[in-house]
Amino acid sequence: MTDFLQLFFSGLSTGAIYALAALGFTLLWQASGTINFAQGEFVMLPAFMMLAFMNMGAPILVSFALSVVLAVIVLGWLFKRGLVDPLFKYGMMPIVVATIGLSIAMRNGVRAGFSAEAHPFPSLFPDKLFNIAGVTITMADLGTFAFALVLVLITQAFIAKTVTGRAMQAVAQNTESASVLGINVPRMIFYTFAINAVLAVAAAMLVTPTYLAKFDMGESLGTKAFFAAIIGGFNNSRGALLGGLIVGVCENLAAAYISPAYKDAVALVIFMVVILFKPQGLLGKKVERKV
Amino acid sequence: MQKRFAFKLIAACALAASALTGFAQQTVKIAGIVELSGPGTTSGTFFNNGAMLAVKEINAAGGILGKKIDYSSNDTQSNPGVAKGLTQKAVDQDVFAIFGPVFSGSIMVSMAESRRAEIPNFTGGEAASITQQGNPYIFRTSFTQDTAMPKVARYMSDTMKLKTIAIIYVNNDFGKGGLDSVKKALAPSATKVLGEISTDSGQIDFSAAVLKAKQLNPDGIFAYTNEEESARLLRELRKQGWTKPVVGETTLTGQKVIELAGEAANGAIGHVGLTVDAPLPAVRAFRAKYEKEYKTISDHNGMKGYSGMYILKAAIEKAGKFDRKAVANAMHTLKVTAAQQPGVLMDVTFNEKGDLDRDSFIVEVKNGKQEVTAVVPPLGAK
């Protein structure tokens, strides 16, 4: 039982990170009907932004704050204006293809600028161990889980409870009606991209001490987060959290009780099972087709 | 007027062609086919840097038998298929020798091409099977696992007196080769293997692997994974409160592993064929030159690339001509001392299979640095 709990808690921490990245998928889908296949690289790039600021001597939290500003400009505004807006009128597929291209470009750009080697990245949390009834939990595990959970809940609350959040939802549900109601549609869509950028920086800060800062760190993270978003429900932010945690925990349990060789297949298997029996995801809502 | 122009054009072309031919005669092409991206990035980059440093020095000193080296780096992306394609490309470009790939899985695939073209091929791969296939054109820049594992097995059994161990290995050609070799070397000893735990190349989370090892309750863990994964494994071991010995090979205690694992690397023990911390003048000189050139401390892969290039130089000089077959023949009985050729870093001998033998070291990571705790003599000296 102790071993099970050890794996469970360790998985929760990893799953919380998947959830943060998955939340990016669901937010963009809800706001603009877009799937961003560069989501993993959207976490990778802020990691290198923070690394660059830290190399200049800034403490980790200052680097985080500066990276948030930079990410909102680059991954929010520039991404929207440079890629999504021009392609939006051609439908979703060109955007999907363009984001795949963008992910390759971002990987190779960082590789050229920072070298292809992994770089160590400091942890936000102190190197402290807790031993509770035989289960070893690190401060980093606890902190990562708590931080991710708070961020997901704040995002959820912002979208559901505030006027701006509701306006964002209105835009997502029907752009034309929202426009008639006086909602500034482009601004609401930009807010979504900006929130996604901020979440990506937070995910980068939490994930990079484990993943190590490397140009291809976003590849597996992006894939897992994509599966997590679908498992939880692509049109539900809480679904991203649930999907992330399920993938994180199940991966760990499968690696220990079945074989580490199958660990990376776990997300895919759960994804397949879920879309077979509940295509809209565990917490997702059925969407009526517009005719 | 037109005739005169045509004559001038032909003359200019002839002059340019002769100049190019003359230039080509002054250089010898060597292709580096290395892991500059993917899971093997760390190993490939260091190996390539070491080779390039040696090329720079050799060229500055007048080249090999009067010819300068024209070295090119090619990225395999840590993909055996790409490595094979690049080797074929190097063959088409008529290179004199090939350096790399470093990963065992890649060289196992790519060396068929260099063998077919009879081009000497130097690898950083340590899987025992590489040189067991009778390829006369394959040469190592580091120990085979069949040389290294008996040394580390003897250390665990005789010096550390470990009664039981669990083995955590990476499930690829390199890892499986090492697993087989260490098990074979430990079989007659007092150290028993309680379990073998497989992990993946590029694996991020080692919590399950460490938990499995803890459940076996061994006296120590033998870890045999690539550099980045070694760092993650060491961090997970520390996280789960593992306090017993962690022993490994070169990839457990390399400089990059120490940098990535931080505090968690302290206490790790490794048998290393090459270390920049070896108390030898040639090695110390190499360390300083590498650090000056690349602003970082080399790991064993940098030493492999560097010493490998000087070993090729020694073989060409022994053959006395740029003849691939003659150089390959010279390699098979090559004995070079660091006194004659400081670039080889240590006295080294090659056997008929292309395997090398030389001194090696036991190191322990203390306060974030490798410390050499013992020098292990060549296996052939025993």
Side-chain angles (χ1 to χ4, degrees):
Chain A
M1 189 61 188
T2 311
D3 295 343
F4 177 84
L5 289 174
Q6 177 77 62
L7 291 164
F8 182 80
F9 286 115
S10 190
L12 278 185
S13 158
T14 314
I17 294 161
Y18 293 158
L20 273 182
L23 192 57
F25 278 113
T26 62
L27 275 178
L28 288 194
W29 176 256
Q30 288 177 66
S32 56
T34 305
I35 298 177
N36 175 18
F37 277 106
Q39 188 66 28
E41 281 66 36
F42 271 40
V43 177
M44 177 273 291
L45 194 65
F48 280 92
M49 287 176 185
M50 282 187 274
L51 205 59
F53 286 124
M54 281 187 274
N55 287 344
M56 285 186 252
I60 185 165
L61 285 174
V62 175
S63 302
F64 172 74
L66 293 171
S67 299
V68 163
V69 176
L70 201 56
V72 168
I73 296 168
V74 177
L75 304 177
W77 183 79
L78 200 61
F79 174 58
K80 180 179 175 294
R81 293 300 295 269
L83 196 143
V84 179
D85 287 353
L87 294 177
F88 197 70
K89 54 180 173 272
Y90 302 110
M92 193 181 76
M93 194 49 76
I95 298 179
V96 168
V97 174
T99 58
I100 292 171
L102 181 67
S103 73
I104 297 168
M106 286 168 80
R107 274 203 297 275
N108 287 300
V110 169
R111 187 174 127 186
F114 269 86
S115 91
E117 285 184 53
H119 302 268
F121 192 94
S123 175
L124 181 64
F125 308 101
D127 198 7
K128 202 172 174 188
L129 294 172
F130 299 102
N131 201 311
I132 306 159
V135 179
T136 312
I137 303 172
T138 61
M139 186 67 139
D141 276 348
L142 283 175
T144 300
F145 180 68
F147 196 20
L149 194 68
V150 167
L151 274 175
V152 173
L153 294 177
I154 287 176
T155 309
Q156 173 75 18
F158 176 77
I159 290 169
K161 309 276 182 197
T162 65
V163 176
T164 312
R166 284 186 185 146
M168 284 164 66
Q169 284 191 66
V171 170
Q173 281 163 18
N174 192 321
T175 313
E176 283 166 18
S177 303
S179 189
V180 169
L181 287 170
I183 295 171
N184 187 335
V185 174
R187 181 179 290 176
M188 291 307 128
I189 294 179
F190 169 69
Y191 284 166
T192 315
F193 281 75
I195 292 169
N196 180 35
V198 175
L199 289 173
V201 185
M205 187 168 62
L206 297 175
V207 79
T208 318
T210 309
Y211 273 64
L212 306 172
K214 201 175 169 193
F215 75 99
D216 59 359
M217 64 182 272
E219 268 182 278
S220 67
L221 181 64
T223 313
K224 301 274 176 65
F226 180 65
F227 287 142
I230 294 178
I231 291 164
F234 224 77
N235 55 12
N236 190 316
S237 304
R238 272 176 301 174
L241 177 64
L242 181 68
L245 295 181
I246 287 175
V247 172
V249 171
C250 290
E251 266 188 353
N252 250 17
L253 295 176
Y257 295 114
I258 305 171
S259 164
Y262 301 124
K263 188 174 176 180
D264 284 338
V266 170
L268 182 65
V269 171
I270 303 171
F271 157 79
M272 285 163 66
V273 171
V274 168
I275 59 164
L276 271 177
F277 295 100
K278 213 164 183 292
Q280 71 274 22
L282 296 174
L283 298 183
K285 296 180 196 98
K286 276 187 184 167
V287 180
E288 298 300 326
R289 183 174 294 197
K290 287 178 194 168
V291 179
Chain B
M1 188 67 184
Q2 275 182 341
K3 269 187 185 173
R4 190 182 291 173
F5 177 74
F7 176 74
K8 277 183 181 173
L9 189 70
I10 292 164
C13 289
L15 201 67
S18 65
L20 281 173
T21 314
F23 178 73
Q25 281 170 350
Q26 296 308 309
T27 62
V28 53
K29 276 189 198 171
I30 295 178
I33 296 172
V34 280
E35 293 78 356
L36 299 178
S37 62
T41 305
T42 303
S43 316
T45 305
F46 275 113
F47 185 86
N48 193 47
N49 286 350
M52 287 194 299
L53 180 60
V55 167
K56 192 177 168 188
E57 286 175 15
I58 292 169
N59 283 347
I64 307 171
L65 300 180
K67 281 193 182 188
K68 299 269 175 80
I69 301 171
D70 175 13
Y71 181 84
S72 61
S73 306
N74 305 276
D75 180 14
T76 69
Q77 300 165 24
S78 307
N79 180 331
V82 176
K84 184 175 179 164
L86 289 172
T87 306
Q88 185 57 57
K89 187 179 155 198
V91 169
D92 292 343
Q93 290 171 340
D94 195 30
V95 299
F96 186 81
I98 294 171
F99 270 67
V102 181
F103 268 22
S104 300
S106 291
I107 187 68
M108 293 286 277
V109 174
S110 72
M111 70 179 181
E113 302 301 325
S114 52
R115 180 184 190 172
R116 197 172 296 134
E118 300 185 327
I119 294 176
N121 194 164
F122 291 75
T123 180
E126 296 181 8
S129 51
I130 295 171
T131 48
Q132 284 170 353
Q133 298 172 18
N135 179 349
Y137 289 91
I138 191 78
F139 303 101
R140 289 186 194 274
T141 53
S142 64
F143 289 134
T144 160
Q145 288 159 336
D146 279 349
T147 310
M149 291 304 176
K151 291 186 176 196
V152 69
R154 195 160 55 200
Y155 187 79
M156 284 193 287
S157 178
D158 299 351
T159 310
M160 296 180 75
K161 312 272 183 210
L162 299 179
K163 285 195 171 60
T164 55
I165 60 161
I167 300 175
I168 298 178
Y169 70 101
V170 57
N171 192 15
N172 58 18
D173 283 336
F174 162 76
K176 285 187 279 191
L179 175 74
D180 292 343
S181 291
V182 79
K183 273 165 54 187
K184 198 168 103 187
L186 282 169
S189 77
T191 306
K192 297 292 160 233
V193 179
L194 293 183
E196 301 153 18
I197 300 156
S198 115
T199 62
D200 279 335
S201 178
Q203 186 163 316
I204 304 292
D205 188 345
F206 281 84
S207 53
V210 169
L211 195 68
K212 274 192 163 184
K214 281 173 73 181
Q215 284 167 345
L216 294 168
N217 195 25
D219 291 343
I221 287 175
F222 183 74
Y224 199 63
T225 56
N226 297 123
E227 276 88 348
E228 278 171 37
E229 291 75 36
S230 292
R232 295 192 185 109
L233 172 62
L234 286 168
R235 288 166 73 145
E236 186 63 34
L237 282 164
R238 180 178 149 72
K239 176 182 153 186
Q240 292 199 28
W242 179 262
T243 51
K244 293 180 202 171
V246 185
V247 189
E249 248 287 319
T250 315
T251 51
L252 184 71
T253 51
Q255 193 56 41
K256 192 72 191 176
V257 179
I258 297 171
E259 186 191 332
L260 296 175
E263 279 271 304
N266 286 332
I269 295 168
H271 166 260
V272 298
L274 293 162
T275 168
V276 288
D277 297 310
L280 303 168
V283 176
R284 289 197 188 284
F286 163 78
R287 179 187 166 127
K289 282 184 283 193
Y290 189 101
E291 197 173 355
K292 191 179 169 200
E293 185 78 15
Y294 299 109
K295 313 289 177 248
T296 183
I297 296 167
S298 174
D299 75 349
H300 64 286
N301 286 300
M303 300 175 78
K304 285 186 204 174
Y306 182 85
S307 61
M309 193 62 75
Y310 274 101
I311 286 168
L312 172 64
K313 176 176 178 274
I316 294 171
E317 286 171 352
K318 188 183 170 194
K321 54 186 174 180
F322 283 96
D323 180 308
R324 295 185 186 104
K325 202 170 264 184
V327 169
N329 283 338
M331 278 297 305
H332 286 118
T333 51
L334 192 71
K335 284 184 185 174
V336 198
T337 64
Q340 298 166 331
Q341 188 82 262
V344 299
L345 304 178
M346 280 187 273
D347 298 355
V348 61
T349 58
F350 276 83
N351 67 11
E352 67 289 349
K353 286 183 185 167
D355 290 329
L356 59 77
D357 199 4
R358 59 186 165 202
D359 277 346
S360 57
F361 312 90
I362 297 291
V363 298
E364 185 174 347
V365 182
K366 291 178 184 170
N367 300 318
K369 282 182 183 167
Q370 257 190 14
E371 272 188 29
V372 175
T373 53
V375 177
V376 188
L379 211 60
K382 284 275 166 186

